[in-house]
Amino acid sequence: MLITLKEGFLIKNAELVLFDLDNTLFPFNDLWLIANKQIFNDSGYAEDIAYDEFLKIYTYYDEKFWLKHSRGEITLDELRQLRLIESLKYFKKNITTKEAHEYFLAFFDIIIQHIKPNITLNNHLNELKKWVNIGILTNGKNSEQTTKIARLELKKIFENNIFISEDIGSEKPDSPAFLKVTHMLNIKPEDTIYVGDSWENDVSGSLNVGMKPIWFNGDKKRNGKNIEVTNSSIEKLVKSLITRVKR
C-alpha cells in the first residue's frame, strides 16, 4: 500500500519503512553502560582501578578504534580486543588477545540478559505493518544481531524483512547496504523511509541513495525538507507514523 506522511517533511508514495536496530528499536547504549560496569567490577581489574577512570580511557579507545573500523583498517573483533588491551595498558596492565576476546563475550552475554521485549513498541509495529512494509537494516554480525532480535521478539513482526550487514555483504553508510535491501524487496529507494539514530550511518547513508530519513534522537537544527528529526521515544515515533499513514 502506498502512503503519504502529512506531518513533518512530505514523503510521497512511501512503500517501506526501514528501521535501524541498536539505539533505535532498543536502547543499546544504556545496556552497554550497564554491562560494561558489571563486567569490569566482576573482573580482577576493579581491585586497583577506579571504574570512572577506566571508563574515560575505555571510551577514548572505543571511539578511536571505531573510527579505524569505519575506515576498514581493522575488523570488528580487533576493535573489541584493542580497546580493552590499550585501556588496560594505560593502567600498566597487559592482557592477551584471547583474554580480551573472552572479556567481550562475557560483556555481550550481560547485554543479552538485560534485553527484554518492548510490548508497547511491538504492538505499534504490528499495527504499522498493516499499512506499509516494514524492515530492519542493521550493521553487525548475524549471530549477535539475531540474538538481540530474538530477545526483543521482533522476528515474528519483521519476518523475512531483516537485513544484517554480515549477511548482505555491505555495511551502512555504504550505498550498497541500502540498495541491496530495496532491490530484494523490489521497492524504490525514493519510496523508502529510513529511521535511525546515527547521522553518518543512517541519515547521511540513506539520504545518499534517495531515501527519506527520520533522524531518531538527532539534532533539531538539521531538520529540513529532506530530513525529519525527532526526539520523542521510539514508541511515540512509531505511533505517529501509524497516525500519519492512516490519514
Side-chain angles (χ1 to χ4, degrees), residues 137-138 162-172 176-178 180-181 184:
L137 171 59
T138 175
I162 297 172
F163 305 93
I164 301 170
S165 62
E166 184 178 58
D167 297 331
I168 64 176
S170 299
E171 281 194 348
K172 301 177 297 180
F178 299 93
K180 286 179 181 180
V181 172
M184 285 186 276

Side-chain angles (χ1 to χ4, degrees), residues 35-46 103 110:
N36 196 52
K37 186 171 185 178
Q38 183 174 330
I39 188 60
F40 179 80
N41 288 334
D42 289 346
S43 73
Y45 311 133
Y103 186 96
I110 295 170

Side-chain angles (χ1 to χ4, degrees), residues 178-190:
F178 299 93
L179 296 177
K180 286 179 181 180
V181 172
T182 53
H183 176 75
M184 285 186 276
L185 297 179
N186 195 29
I187 293 174
K188 296 177 181 178
E190 56 266 32

Side-chain angles (χ1 to χ4, degrees), residues 16 18 133-137 155 158-163 185:
L16 171 66
L18 280 176
N133 296 302
I134 63 174
I136 293 174
L137 171 59
K155 171 63 178 175
F158 289 91
E159 302 177 278
N160 294 325
N161 289 356
I162 297 172
F163 305 93
L185 297 179

